[in-house]
Structure formats: C-alpha cells, structure tokens
C-alpha cells in the first residue's frame, strides 16, 4: 500500500513515477499531473500533452506562444 506524495492518501493501487533518479508515489493520475506536469508560460494551465517550446519557455499551444511574442510556432503545418 503506497502513500500519495501529493495528497497523502494511502491506496492499494498506487503507482510510482521516477524522474531524474527521484521516485514519487501517487494514488491517481490527477495528483501526478498536478504535481509534475509543466505549466504554460502564458495561461498557466497544466500541459498534459506535447505542448510547444520556444527558447526556455513551454506553452500549451501555439496561440499562447503567440500571445507571448513567439510568432514562429504553429499547432499544425
């Protein structure tokens, strides 16, 4: 039975995620996403897909990148 790193819930179906050698235990994808998924540099939403990246910033979509002055990124070609 693992204890969720995010909410503290003990759950028999918990799972571990290892990132850069650090292992975290979660009871749900919701907790894992809330804690680990990056945030869009423009709208601050959690990015659970691929996102787009420009320089050192990551955005949820090309529209948010454009709002931040990154005109070269597109969602579709």
């Amino acid at each position: 039975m693992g204890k969720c790193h995010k909410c503290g819930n003990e759950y028999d179906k918990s799972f571990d995620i290892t990132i850069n050698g650090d292992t975290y235990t979660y009871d749900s994808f919701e907790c894992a996403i809330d804690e680990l998924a990056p945030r869009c540099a423009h709208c601050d939403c959690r990015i659970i897909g691929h996102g787009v990246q420009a320089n050192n910033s990551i955005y949820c979509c090309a529209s948010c990148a454009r709002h931040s002055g990154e005109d070269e990124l597109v969602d579709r070609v």
Side-chain angles (χ1 to χ4, degrees):
M1 175 123 24
K3 184 175 182 180
C4 182
H5 187 264
K6 172 74 177 164
C7 71
N9 184 39
E10 291 188 18
Y11 186 50
D12 66 336
K13 294 174 182 61
S14 63
F15 56 93
D16 294 332
I17 296 177
T18 301
I19 298 175
N20 298 325
D22 295 322
T23 300
Y24 305 92
T25 300
Y26 296 100
D27 67 339
S28 67
F29 286 113
E30 180 181 10
C31 283
I33 288 168
D34 189 60
E35 191 160 271
L36 298 176
R39 289 190 175 272
C40 176
H42 176 72
C43 73
D44 203 39
C45 76
R46 290 288 184 189
I47 302 169
I48 58 172
H50 292 285
V52 294
Q53 190 170 351
N55 299 312
N56 292 327
S57 297
I58 187 168
Y59 303 95
C60 63
C61 62
S63 176
C64 278
R66 282 192 299 280
H67 285 292
S68 296
E70 301 293 345
D71 295 328
E72 295 181 23
L73 296 172
V74 295
D75 286 320
R76 295 182 182 191
V77 178

